[in-house]
Amino acid sequence: MPRVVVVGLNAGRSSVNPWSSGLLALKMPSVRPGDFLLFRWFGQMRDVQQFPNQQAYDICDFTRADPVGPRRFFGLDLYLVRKAERGKTLYFGSSVKKECEKGVKAQVYVR
């Protein structure tokens, strides 16, 4: 049965799997094909983009990143984990106002 794994912030409190803060070493969540990632945030302009690889993620290079959803003040963006992603790590971040450099990014491993 598919699961929904929440990634994001909720009114200043960390949710199930918070965006990394740059200050905290967070355990990377793992998901299965068919699961959904639900990115959510409130109170700040953000977007969610998927990086093509770890190098782009590490340096917050959005040149070849794909948008998961539009830029907006609050959001709920849903991402379906595909079978072809099994055994890979997925990389996501926000491109708005240097948010990625401030730690608004996440890694998810697909088992």
Side-chain angles (χ1 to χ4, degrees):
M1 173 166 250
R3 298 177 306 152
V4 175
V5 177
V6 178
V7 181
L9 298 174
N10 183 7
R13 294 191 322 267
S14 295
S15 63
V16 177
N17 294 295
W19 293 96
S20 72
S21 69
L23 302 174
L24 300 173
L26 299 169
K27 183 179 178 187
M28 184 189 321
S30 64
V31 295
R32 297 180 296 261
D35 287 348
F36 291 92
L37 298 176
L38 176 64
F39 294 90
R40 69 177 181 187
W41 65 93
F42 303 93
Q44 281 186 292
M45 182 65 74
R46 289 205 171 125
D47 64 356
V48 178
Q49 295 199 35
Q50 184 178 12
F51 293 104
N53 54 47
Q54 183 174 1
Q55 181 180 2
Y57 171 85
D58 288 344
I59 63 173
C60 296
D61 177 4
F62 289 91
T63 308
R64 294 181 22 227
D66 292 320
V68 173
R71 188 177 285 199
R72 55 186 167 225
F73 188 66
F74 65 91
L76 294 170
D77 286 327
L78 201 58
Y79 180 87
L80 173 62
V81 179
R82 299 178 299 270
K83 286 182 183 180
E85 295 169 324
R86 186 183 303 271
K88 297 180 181 177
T89 299
L90 308 178
Y91 302 96
F92 301 92
S94 175
S95 69
V96 177
K97 295 184 182 178
K98 305 275 184 188
E99 287 285 321
C100 181
E101 289 88 342
K102 295 174 187 173
V104 182
K105 56 186 183 177
Q107 306 177 51
V108 179
Y109 179 72
V110 183
R111 326 182 237 159

